[in-house]
Amino acid sequence: MTSRLLPHAVLGLAVLIFAFPIWIAVAGSTQDAAAIARGDLSLVPRLSGFAVYRDVLLNSSAGAGPVWRELLVSFGMALAIALGKIALSIPSAYAVAFFRFPLRMAAFWVIFMTLMLPVEVRLVPTFQVMSTLGMVNTFSGLTVPLIASATATLLFRQTFTAIPDELVEAARIDGAGPLRFLFDVVIPVSGANIAALFVILFVYGWNQYLWPLLVVTDPHLDTVVIGIVKMIGIDTETAWNKVMATAVLALLPPVVVVVAMQRWFVKGLTEGDK
């Protein structure tokens, strides 16, 4: 009996540890900002304080725009980055995995080596390119530089190379050309992997901070992460209840995506359905 209860007790404790900061944010968002600044934070939410969520969603505060607009920018950015990375990575991985052309492996290793470049090394040249192309302070400037992904290409290559040779040969005998083989065979059998990667890339795009901070100065293109930073000023002047409410709202879209795609996400990480 003890051996059966112990895993549940450990799991319950882990859930409490992970959920506690979120509970603090929810409870704090409903309380008075001055009380929070004094450290007088109650763990019990005040029902009358939930109006702060409507306030931060619809109204600007402390240099940050309304949160609905920031959430919209963040959602568009995360969606564009996730879909863009997948759309670029699939054909590049498909070429490396199935086509035989000169310097194929050299191309593969060049892609692999880009993983070793620190992000800080790429920031200044990338910003200069965006500035030259006139893409600073634009939505495309916010998303395009983050779309190329060596990691996704390598993951897809590994997935594609696991497709049985018999399936490739059967498609060839059936007269399937490269595009038909890609859309009728490769993409369908990689569906779970694509879905799992979409979830990971969406969360990656949603949490971006450094690049939006560099390339965007227009407040209308602020992401919700940038909005939270702008709301935090001098300690005595920061409306911490609004900051916590914005943080809670910023947490919801990635959670919805993960929960909605949980089955595909787990399947893509743990199974090979080819």
Side-chain angles (χ1 to χ4, degrees):
M1 186 68 178
T2 305
S3 61
R4 293 174 58 187
L5 289 177
L6 183 61
H8 291 83
V10 173
L11 182 62
L13 180 63
V15 170
L16 287 177
I17 292 174
F18 279 102
F20 186 68
I22 300 173
W23 179 258
I24 289 287
V26 173
S29 65
T30 64
Q31 297 173 36
D32 182 65
I36 299 173
R38 291 194 306 270
D40 188 16
L41 178 63
S42 170
L43 294 180
V44 181
R46 290 170 46 198
L47 293 180
S48 60
F50 279 102
V52 71
Y53 286 91
R54 183 178 183 278
D55 186 22
V56 297
L57 271 173
L58 302 180
N59 301 315
S60 302
S61 57
V67 172
W68 71 263
R69 190 176 66 204
E70 296 170 353
L71 288 173
L72 196 61
V73 173
S74 289
F75 185 81
M77 179 183 174
L79 195 63
I81 290 173
L83 294 179
K85 280 179 179 288
I86 291 173
L88 278 182
S89 301
I90 286 179
S92 58
Y94 182 64
V96 173
F98 291 106
F99 288 83
R100 300 293 179 267
F101 54 89
L103 301 178
R104 180 175 69 94
M105 289 310 297
F108 169 74
W109 284 110
V110 167
I111 295 173
F112 181 79
M113 288 171 63
T114 60
L115 290 174
M116 303 175 188
L117 288 175
V119 175
E120 292 79 6
V121 173
R122 290 177 285 165
L123 279 179
V124 173
T126 305
F127 181 82
Q128 188 169 2
V129 171
M130 291 296 104
S131 179
T132 303
L133 295 176
M135 296 173 69
V136 174
N137 271 328
T138 63
F139 185 76
S140 55
L142 198 61
T143 56
V144 169
L146 301 177
I147 284 179
S149 174
T151 305
T153 300
L154 295 177
L155 291 175
F156 278 131
R157 177 189 175 273
Q158 291 306 112
T159 301
F160 295 165
T161 53
I163 294 177
D165 294 337
E166 292 80 5
L167 195 56
V168 179
E169 191 63 29
R172 188 173 299 158
I173 293 173
D174 196 39
L179 285 179
R180 184 182 167 194
F181 180 65
L182 173 63
F183 288 105
D184 289 355
V185 178
V186 175
I187 291 180
V189 301
S190 306
N193 304 90
I194 294 172
L197 196 60
F198 173 82
V199 173
I200 295 171
L201 295 176
F202 184 89
V203 175
Y204 162 84
W206 185 270
N207 291 330
Q208 282 298 310
Y209 170 68
L210 188 55
W211 179 248
L213 186 66
L214 285 176
V215 79
V216 168
T217 55
D218 184 352
H220 291 87
L221 288 173
D222 280 346
T223 64
V224 69
V225 177
I226 298 296
I228 291 173
V229 175
K230 285 188 173 181
M231 292 173 72
I232 301 175
I234 302 171
D235 286 346
T236 54
E237 298 177 352
T238 299
W240 287 108
N241 56 337
K242 293 184 178 180
V243 174
M244 292 183 181
T246 305
V248 172
L249 290 171
L251 187 66
L252 295 180
V255 170
V256 170
V257 170
V258 172
V259 171
M261 301 186 69
Q262 182 183 13
R263 185 170 66 89
W264 287 89
F265 180 63
V266 174
K267 187 177 181 182
L269 292 180
T270 59
E271 295 182 10
D273 56 353
K274 296 158 286 291

